[in-house]
Amino acid sequence: MPSWTLHQGDALTLLPTLDTLADAVIVDPPYNSGGLQAAQRRGQSARGKYVSGDANHLLPDFGGDRRDQRGYTYWLSSMLAASLAAARPGASALVFTDWAQLPATSDALQAGGWVWRGIIPWRKTIARPTRDGFKRECEYVLWGSHGEPTRHAPSIYLPGWLEGSQPRGKGRVHITQKPVAVMRQLVRIAPEGGTVLDWCAGSGTTGVAALAEGRRFVGIEASGEYAAAARQRLMAAVDKEPAAA
Amino acid sequence: MPSWTLHQGDALTLLPTLDTLADAVIVDPPYNSGGLQAAQRRGQSARGKYVSGDANHLLPDFGGDRRDQRGYTYWLSSMLAASLAAARPGASALVFTDWAQLPATSDALQAGGWVWRGIIPWRKTIARPTRDGFKRECEYVLWGSHGEPTRHAPSIYLPGWLEGSQPRGKGRVHITQKPVAVMRQLVRIAPEGGTVLDWCAGSGTTGVAALAEGRRFVGIEASGEYAAAARQRLMAAVDKEPAAA
DNA sequence: CCCCACATTGAATCCGCAG
DNA sequence: GCTGCGGATTCAATGTGGG
């Protein structure tokens, strides 16, 4: 049985067709921030928004980042409801968000049928300072469960705070790529040998982390370009791993 | 002119009578968590909820912690609207909350007329681990501004997250007392010599921090017992400070 | 009045070079 | 080849100002 699969296509279409129920759904959807504040509401694409002027790198853009806040909440709750149907009872959902979308994301999580169980802040360590105010240095992971969460045996105790800088330089494939070290902490919410599902796979970091921690991975990615990049990273990750006993 | 004042009484009544406009409103309202989840909805008082079984200390209980979530949001937005009227344009509001009430608190902040500007996580460092899940080790400070925030001269750059453990042992007067070190970072959002307002003064930590950072303080506290304790701490804090030039 | 270009700040991290 | 240091680079922005 392969320890990972990556589908390319529309997540809402593909989710009902998966043949394994997930033990954890871990996603990093486009945040769609900018619906609230005038300075950001310029119809910018993700690249224009997130990449600073002098950092002229050539990472491909990503779609799905132009909804307004109601649209975002509605879209995300549909996705999370579909995820619930694709997840085992007791499974967990972990959803990344920034500060501005945190309340909307918690609404979507609960509207999707998940029980909200907490927030795990992620400190990015490299962030621009804010003049005359507090630096916006953290992103947030919202934790939900499908009913009562699964008991682990032996019990595990996971951190309530994550730290790690975004990948830089050659290792970086996606604009908003998460550090593998951070993801490795998160995938442990699925039991060993369990399945982690990410329907917003991007460059496949969730999968790389899942494999490194001895979990299976099912990914969905809309963009062909990113799906290809993710497959490459996943193949490399399997080679690196010692064969299972 | 005294550098601090502490009123005892009902905040909603007293707020309109204050004779100085605040440069920063910093409050730590009772979180009212537990309105949603059955396990917590046992008619517990604040002491029963926040004080663990074996920590048998004799801190007085505090009121206002039995609203349901709608009531909490409504009450908090009224309080924050009254705070806005008591604050200078450009002033900031900083409101403490736990993870469960964060979305409701952001609603209340914005309903009260403040512009939401960010979240500052406070990492408590001493927190119980969570079995088979992520530790809940953070509380959160929501940052809002009365219109465009005041410009500081010279500019200041404040941290994006806070760390500090809750006071323990003899130094602790209030059940949910915040560390002075954490509060000192926060009061700096008011310009030097500006006025910090806290209508939920409790044991007066906000005031102690404000004085330590060279800001004036106006506090309101409903309970006579806590008001007295706060006055003692504030007097001691002034004695410790070198006299103003 | 709307829209776009650009300067900006501190800290973490990277990179290249020297020892 | 490894380590240590110093300068360069970057940051899931935001505010300002000009066209």
Side-chain angles (χ1 to χ4, degrees):
Chain A
M1 201 201 287
S3 56
W4 65 271
T5 328
L6 193 99
H7 305 276
Q8 192 229 312
D10 175 60
L12 211 45
T13 314
L14 288 169
L15 274 174
T17 71
L18 301 178
D19 51 359
T20 331
L21 289 177
D23 296 286
V25 180
I26 305 184
V27 281
D28 178 24
Y31 297 167
N32 271 291
S33 288
L36 284 177
Q37 290 176 34
Q40 301 177 318
R41 215 185 308 150
R42 296 182 209 140
Q44 288 173 314
S45 69
R47 187 125 138 248
K49 255 191 301 200
Y50 302 138
V51 175
S52 58
D54 47 344
N56 243 337
H57 43 65
L58 296 168
L59 302 177
D61 211 337
F62 62 88
D65 198 35
R66 291 210 195 170
R67 297 177 182 89
D68 69 9
Q69 187 150 38
R70 283 191 63 229
Y72 176 75
T73 312
Y74 183 80
W75 167 76
L76 189 55
S77 61
S78 315
M79 295 302 303
L80 289 169
S83 308
L84 190 80
R88 204 181 296 287
S92 282
L94 301 173
V95 186
F96 276 81
T97 181
D98 67 355
W99 68 271
Q101 296 289 14
L102 196 159
T105 305
S106 111
D107 287 345
L109 188 73
Q110 294 176 82
W114 298 85
V115 180
W116 188 24
R117 307 203 80 89
I119 302 175
I120 308 124
W122 165 41
R123 184 183 163 224
K124 288 184 288 186
T125 69
I126 175 162
R128 278 188 190 77
T130 303
R131 182 156 104 163
D132 297 329
F134 298 92
K135 195 193 271 198
R136 274 163 280 246
E137 187 170 5
C138 293
E139 291 183 23
Y140 302 90
V141 181
L142 267 59
W143 173 33
S145 67
H146 187 170
E148 279 306 300
T150 305
R151 275 296 169 71
H152 290 241
S155 286
I156 55 165
Y157 295 87
L158 298 170
W161 176 263
L162 304 166
E163 260 183 59
S165 66
Q166 284 199 301
R168 298 175 58 178
K170 267 183 261 175
R172 189 160 103 149
V173 180
H174 194 278
I175 300 182
T176 67
Q177 191 169 330
K178 303 295 179 266
V180 175
V182 164
M183 278 296 182
R184 287 183 70 155
Q185 302 279 356
L186 297 178
V187 296
R188 297 182 59 216
I189 193 68
E192 272 197 60
T195 302
V196 174
L197 167 65
D198 183 354
W199 42 260
C200 233
S203 54
T205 307
T206 309
V208 172
L211 297 177
E213 292 288 334
R215 275 76 177 161
R216 296 169 190 281
F217 177 66
V218 177
I220 302 178
E221 167 59 38
S223 136
E225 200 166 346
Y226 283 127
R231 284 206 185 94
Q232 285 226 333
R233 284 184 75 202
L234 287 163
M235 279 189 285
V238 170
D239 290 344
K240 245 184 295 183
E241 288 306 296
Chain B
M1 202 201 286
S3 55
W4 64 270
T5 327
L6 193 99
H7 305 276
Q8 193 232 311
D10 175 60
L12 213 44
T13 314
L14 288 169
L15 274 175
T17 71
L18 301 179
D19 51 0
T20 330
L21 289 177
D23 295 287
V25 180
I26 305 184
V27 281
D28 178 24
Y31 297 164
N32 269 108
S33 289
L36 283 177
Q37 290 174 33
Q40 300 177 317
R41 213 188 306 151
R42 295 188 206 130
Q44 290 173 314
S45 68
R47 190 133 130 240
K49 251 190 307 200
Y50 299 132
V51 174
S52 56
D54 47 345
N56 235 341
H57 40 65
L58 297 168
L59 304 177
D61 210 336
F62 63 90
D65 198 34
R66 290 212 195 170
R67 298 175 183 90
D68 69 8
Q69 186 149 40
R70 283 191 62 226
Y72 175 74
T73 312
Y74 183 81
W75 167 77
L76 189 55
S77 60
S78 314
M79 295 302 302
L80 289 169
S83 308
L84 190 79
R88 204 181 295 286
S92 281
L94 300 174
V95 187
F96 276 82
T97 181
D98 67 356
W99 67 271
Q101 296 291 8
L102 196 159
T105 306
S106 112
D107 287 345
L109 188 71
Q110 294 176 81
W114 298 85
V115 180
W116 188 23
R117 306 203 80 89
I119 302 175
I120 307 124
W122 166 39
R123 200 179 165 202
K124 286 186 287 187
T125 67
I126 301 180
R128 235 175 264 165
T130 303
R131 182 157 108 159
D132 298 330
F134 298 92
K135 196 194 273 195
R136 272 166 280 251
E137 78 184 279
C138 292
E139 290 183 23
Y140 301 89
V141 182
L142 266 59
W143 172 34
S145 67
H146 186 170
E148 280 307 301
T150 305
R151 274 299 168 69
H152 291 241
S155 287
I156 56 165
Y157 294 86
L158 298 171
W161 64 287
L162 304 165
E163 194 164 10
S165 59
Q166 284 193 302
R168 302 174 66 177
K170 265 186 260 174
R172 187 160 103 152
V173 180
H174 195 277
I175 300 180
T176 66
Q177 191 169 329
K178 303 297 177 265
V180 175
V182 164
M183 279 294 183
R184 286 184 69 155
Q185 302 279 356
L186 296 177
V187 296
R188 297 183 58 215
I189 194 67
E192 272 197 60
T195 302
V196 173
L197 167 66
D198 182 353
W199 42 259
C200 234
S203 54
T205 307
T206 310
V208 171
L211 298 178
E213 292 287 334
R215 273 79 177 161
R216 298 168 188 282
F217 177 66
V218 177
I220 302 177
E221 167 58 40
S223 136
E225 202 165 344
Y226 282 127
R231 283 204 185 93
Q232 286 226 333
R233 284 184 76 203
L234 287 163
M235 280 190 287
V238 171
D239 290 345
K240 244 184 294 182
E241 288 305 296

